Amino acid sequence: MALQRKWILILFAAPTVLFYLFFFISPLLNTVYNSLFDWNGLSDKTFIFIDNYINLFQDEIFIRSLKNTFYWVFLVLFVQIPFGFFLAYFLYLKVKGFKFLRTVFFIPVVTSTVAVALVFSFIYEPNFGIINAFLREIGLGHLTTAWLSDELTAMTAVSVPFVWQNIGLMMVIIYAGLQSIPDEIIEAGEIDGVGFFQKIIHIVIPMIKNVLIVCLVLGVTYAFKLFDYVLLLTNGGPIHRTEVTGTYMYIKGFQELNYGYGNSIAVTMTIIVLFLSVIINKGLKSKG
């Protein structure tokens, strides 16, 4: 019976394992393999070992794109997750109309990224965009600018739709975690006279620490996967000011047909994300 049960488990697990190997492990290994070649996708491959990686970390544009990517990680850690937390806690208090507000806050998450980018491109438009029109209306026309073309404002302008669209996802995840907190613990804290912020810091956050870890890992992954907002709004400009590793990988791999170099960027991004994920998991769980 034990042997029969073992084979039944293997039989049911096999499709999932094969699916994972074929659609995840195989492409990953193929990417690592291709990163060791000088290849344009058409001609014969030339084995150059780790030369692509050496050139990568001597590439000023890649270094800038990596710094810009960490800027998005910063936004996730210090803007997106905190705002998502307080929206979730606001809903957790079951204010009047909280179900309607929950839907409203989550709508941007399910909205097409292309649609969001298109809307914000009209908002930022220098001549008839809402922002510049409003500034002219209130007598601050000297502050108008081409928000997506100005080196001083481009990065912030691109980051706004990203933060706005994904706050709702963090909110829903954290809200689910808040609902798992026993009411007795919250009530006991209130009876002991714990203040609003003390309750959040000393009761709520420790109780949903694992949920916050999930949000952190997801947020870091999304920051390194970022591609569409930059491509649609600025295409990495002006002068690579908003370039991120995702768009630079796309340029090298698909526009310049340097597939080996593009694969080396993809492998480097994967290693960094895995390293940060391990640090987040080990660091925060060890404090528990």
Side-chain angles (χ1 to χ4, degrees):
M1 287 293 294
L3 183 61
Q4 185 179 6
R5 189 176 303 168
K6 178 182 177 181
W7 280 107
I8 291 173
L9 292 174
I10 292 174
L11 181 64
F12 277 97
T16 302
V17 173
L18 292 174
F19 182 89
Y20 183 77
L21 289 173
F22 185 77
F23 288 101
F24 181 77
I25 299 299
S26 176
L28 180 61
L29 294 176
N30 189 54
T31 302
V32 174
Y33 174 75
N34 286 331
S35 71
L36 305 176
F37 291 86
D38 179 12
W39 183 44
N40 62 8
L42 300 172
S43 62
D44 294 334
K45 298 178 180 179
T46 303
F47 182 70
I48 56 175
F49 194 38
I50 61 171
D51 283 3
N52 280 328
Y53 295 95
I54 294 172
N55 295 332
L56 193 63
F57 287 97
Q58 295 174 348
D59 187 340
E60 293 182 3
I61 299 176
F62 173 74
I63 298 300
R64 169 174 283 189
S65 70
L66 191 60
K67 290 179 180 178
N68 289 342
T69 302
F70 275 103
Y71 167 81
W72 294 92
V73 173
F74 175 86
L75 286 177
V76 168
L77 297 182
F78 297 102
V79 178
Q80 213 170 71
I81 292 177
F83 269 93
F85 174 83
F86 282 107
L87 285 177
Y89 194 73
F90 177 71
L91 296 176
Y92 174 70
L93 296 177
K94 289 184 171 56
V95 296
K96 187 176 181 180
F98 79 95
K99 291 184 178 179
F100 171 74
L101 292 174
R102 182 177 60 193
T103 304
V104 170
F105 293 152
F106 189 71
I107 284 176
V109 179
V110 296
T111 304
S112 167
T113 301
V114 175
V116 172
L118 183 63
V119 169
F120 274 88
S121 68
F122 282 113
I123 291 174
Y124 292 133
E125 211 284 328
N127 299 313
F128 55 82
I130 295 174
I131 296 178
N132 283 351
F134 175 74
L135 291 174
R136 294 189 192 101
E137 192 68 25
I138 62 175
L140 296 175
H142 62 283
L143 296 179
T144 61
T145 184
W147 299 96
L148 295 172
S149 303
D150 191 329
E151 289 186 43
L152 298 177
T153 60
M155 197 66 175
T156 302
V158 175
S159 67
V160 170
F162 168 77
V163 172
W164 173 76
Q165 186 176 25
N166 291 288
I167 281 178
L169 177 63
M170 300 300 173
M171 177 203 72
V172 168
I173 296 172
I174 295 171
Y175 180 67
L178 290 173
Q179 290 183 309
S180 67
I181 300 176
D183 293 335
E184 296 79 10
I185 296 178
I186 301 295
E187 292 171 0
E190 292 174 348
I191 292 172
D192 291 339
V194 176
F196 178 78
F197 288 105
Q198 288 179 319
K199 180 166 60 177
I200 290 176
I201 294 171
H202 298 293
I203 299 177
V204 175
I205 291 180
M207 292 292 293
I208 62 168
K209 186 176 66 173
N210 289 335
V211 175
L212 294 176
I213 290 174
V214 171
C215 288
L216 287 170
V217 173
L218 280 176
V220 169
T221 304
Y222 286 155
F224 272 87
K225 284 171 56 181
L226 182 72
F227 169 78
D228 36 18
Y229 292 103
V230 175
L231 186 71
L232 293 169
L233 291 173
T234 64
N235 198 28
I239 319 173
H240 302 288
R241 182 66 182 84
T242 59
E243 197 81 73
V244 292
T245 50
T247 56
Y248 194 52
M249 177 185 65
Y250 171 78
I251 290 170
K252 285 295 181 182
F254 295 98
Q255 292 185 355
E256 298 182 7
L257 296 181
N258 192 343
Y259 284 101
Y261 199 75
N263 279 309
S264 67
I265 297 174
V267 172
T268 303
M269 290 167 58
T270 303
I271 291 172
I272 293 173
V273 170
L274 288 174
F275 175 77
L276 292 176
S277 299
V278 170
I279 293 297
I280 291 170
N281 276 285
K282 295 291 184 182
L284 293 181
K285 286 186 178 180
S286 64
K287 292 181 180 180

